[in-house]
Each structure stands twice: as structure tokens, then as C-alpha cells.
Amino acid sequence: MHPIVRMIDANANRACEAARVLEDLARFVLGAGEVAAGLKSLRHDLRRAIGSALGGAGIDPVMLAAWRDPEGDPGTGLSHEGEVRRAGTPAIASAAAGRLGEALRAIEESLKTIDSGRAGEVEKLRYASYALSRRVELALGTGRASQWRVCVLLTESLCTHHSWEEVARLAIEGGADCVQLREKSMESGELVERARALVGIARPAGVSVIVNDRPDIALLAGADGVHVGQNDLCVRDVRRIAGSGLLVGVSTAHLEQARRAVAEGADYIGCGPMFASATKVKPVLSGPSFVGEVVGDAVCGRVSHLAISGITPENIGELVGAGCRGVAVSGVVCGAEEPAGVCRALRAALEGAERG
């Protein structure tokens, strides 16, 4: 059997295996039926193109099968450390995407010696694979997001009883496991220094730091992530700036926005507004039922969420009843005489519901 034919056969198996891994990630992890269907079609189209090219060249498929020799193939013993372990689903997708593209290119080049027309078909499949792989990789996000219980949005102007630094320390003492820097009007130079200072307070306590709106500031400060609204940078543009270096959260007000954010690769979603708030007035409330929709949704339910707006120890029970697992709060903590006590009460309500 000609070595070129054996190259095509081996890479066809490799490409289909990689496509199947991506297809299953899209199907079972992401719930992305359209992407899964696209990858399934790619596998079948590839087999059809190769079968037509080899059949046209008079290659007997039974003879080809007989020439397969995994026991004697020196390539089966070649591996490196990166192939032995995967850090999570994003790493699985990245490895499969790379393997798929490489195998399709090898098939394309090899087919040029047999059937240039079919080689052109494989070239189109290769470009299609890049688009489908990208959708899977982006949708999986970083895979590092935790389900925070209490995230405190820090704005200095709301800190009426303590300095912003002391509010941060007291919130962390009370059980806040995430703090988000939200200073809309602060100049960039001051903002990056503020973010660095907040990281210095939170990181030793194992508390995550998120920066509002600004992936550049988050990266410079060594923060854990960035949070964007519907009118800010989209998730893909944040990834172009930060890659997997930052968690990305997205504000959403209804299920369609939440699903879109998750499909684009948000690591967590903000859900709201839940209740009326003096901090940020919204004409329409999403309400606690929105949290219930997110938690029960096959797509959105797999990522972390934070309910936001007007949440207090007095009304958090409504959110708990809807299945809420985490909240983002601002004025109720920043403006409190005892920020630690407010955070303890919020966290106790969430954890009490889980234990119950």
C-alpha cells in the first residue's frame, strides 16, 4: 500500500476522533446542538470525500484495512507529557481542535497527489473546523470560575462609615468571597493603583478580585477577572485582550441574554435587577423568577451566577427560594456601619438553604 494512502487513512481516523471529542463537548457539556450537528456533518463529509478520492484511485478498502498496523507503527509510542493529563474541558477542547486542524491539513496535502478536487473539499472542511472549534473553545470559558456566595461591589462614594479599604477588609472578614472594583468615573492611572491595592487586600485571604468594565486594568493589576455589561466589550473581544488570563462575567436581564453570554464563553453571569435599588435605578426588574430560570436552564445552569440589585438580608429569602446560589451587593454593605455583619447574614441565608 502506498505510504501516501496510509497517511490519508491514519489522519482521517485522527481527524474524526478529534471532531467527535469536540462534538461531544458541544453536545454534553455546552448543550450546543447546532455546533454538535456541524461537527457531526464535518465528520461524515470528510469520510465521504476521502472515500470518493480513494475509490476513484482504485484503492480497495479491505486491503487498506489490512495494511493498518498499530502494533508496528512507530508513531503509536510517541507521546509527550502534555498528552497524558488535561487540566479540564477547555484543555480537552484545545487539544482536540489542534489535532483536528493538523490532521485535516495532512489529508489535504496528501490528497493533492491523488485527487485535487477532493483536496479542495477537505480544505473547505478545514476552515469550517476552525470556526466550529473556536465556538467550542470560547464557549467553555476558562473553566476556573467558582460559585461565589457573596460578591461585594466596591464604590468609594458609597462607603459612608468606613474607608473603602476598611469596607473591603470587613466584608472579607464577614465571608465575602469575591470583591468587584466598580469605579465608573475614576481615571485609568488611579484605577489601576486602586485595583492593585484591592488585590493586595483580597488575595492573601483567598478572595477573588473582579474589575468592572476594564480588562486592561484587570490584567495590569493581577486581578482574577473582569465584569462587562450588555453595552460593554463582548466576551470574544475580552478574550482577544486577555485570553484565558481573566474570568469574564456578563450582566444579563433575561434568559435570552444569559444563554447568549454562556454560549459566547462567559465564566459567570450576573442576573438582575432583582429588586429596586438606589445604587443603580432600573425601570424594569427581572425579579427572583429570573434566577430560577437560569438555575433550571440546561445551558445557563452549568455556569456560576450572581443575583444583583437591591438585595438585603431581609429579602434574600426570595432569591434562596428561587434556587439562588450567590449574590452581588453594593450599597447594603458599603454603606453599612457593620459590613461584616451584613455579609455574614447574606452568606448564612445562602448556605442555610443549601444545608436544608
Side-chain angles (χ1 to χ4, degrees), residues 213-234:
D213 296 345
R214 298 286 299 272
D216 55 337
I217 298 295
L219 284 171
L220 288 169
D224 298 283
V226 64
H227 188 90
V228 294
Q230 288 295 312
N231 297 319
D232 299 321
L233 291 176
C234 68

Side-chain angles (χ1 to χ4, degrees), residues 21-208:
V21 170
L22 290 167
E23 179 187 333
D24 284 352
L25 287 171
R27 178 184 173 191
F28 295 110
V29 178
L30 299 175
E34 179 187 348
V35 179
L39 287 158
K40 182 176 182 178
S41 293
L42 187 147
R43 288 192 293 111
H44 289 297
D45 291 345
L46 177 63
R47 288 293 189 190
R48 190 178 302 113
I50 292 172
S52 179
L54 296 185
I59 305 299
D60 184 332
V62 175
M63 184 182 295
L64 179 59
W67 272 92
R68 292 175 186 150
D69 183 21
E71 296 84 6
D73 184 353
T76 58
L78 300 177
S79 64
H80 58 83
E81 187 176 347
E83 293 180 302
V84 177
R85 184 175 177 81
R86 302 280 186 242
T89 51
I92 294 172
S94 178
R99 194 161 59 248
L100 177 57
E102 291 166 0
L104 288 173
R105 187 57 187 249
I107 294 167
E108 177 190 336
E109 293 300 321
S110 299
L111 277 178
K112 289 175 181 177
T113 67
I114 298 173
D115 187 330
S116 59
R118 299 301 178 187
E121 291 181 21
V122 174
E123 180 185 25
K124 292 178 182 177
L125 292 175
R126 178 164 57 86
Y127 284 115
S129 79
Y130 295 157
L132 290 165
S133 297
R134 182 190 66 212
R135 291 179 67 178
V136 174
E137 289 186 90
L138 288 177
L140 286 170
T142 66
R144 299 194 307 271
S146 300
Q147 177 54 68
W148 299 303
R149 295 298 189 189
V150 178
C151 175
V152 175
L153 279 60
L154 279 171
T155 301
E156 186 173 13
S157 63
L158 299 177
C159 299
T160 53
H161 296 282
H162 309 276
S163 67
W164 74 264
E165 297 99 327
E166 188 63 12
V167 169
R169 292 188 184 96
L170 290 170
I172 291 169
E173 178 186 310
D177 45 5
C178 179
V179 286
Q180 179 180 325
L181 179 60
R182 189 177 186 275
E183 297 287 357
K184 291 279 190 178
S185 60
M186 190 173 286
E187 295 292 335
S188 297
E190 185 180 0
L191 186 60
V192 74
E193 291 306 317
R194 178 68 58 89
R196 285 171 176 152
L198 184 56
V199 170
I201 293 170
R203 179 104 356 115
V207 170
S208 302

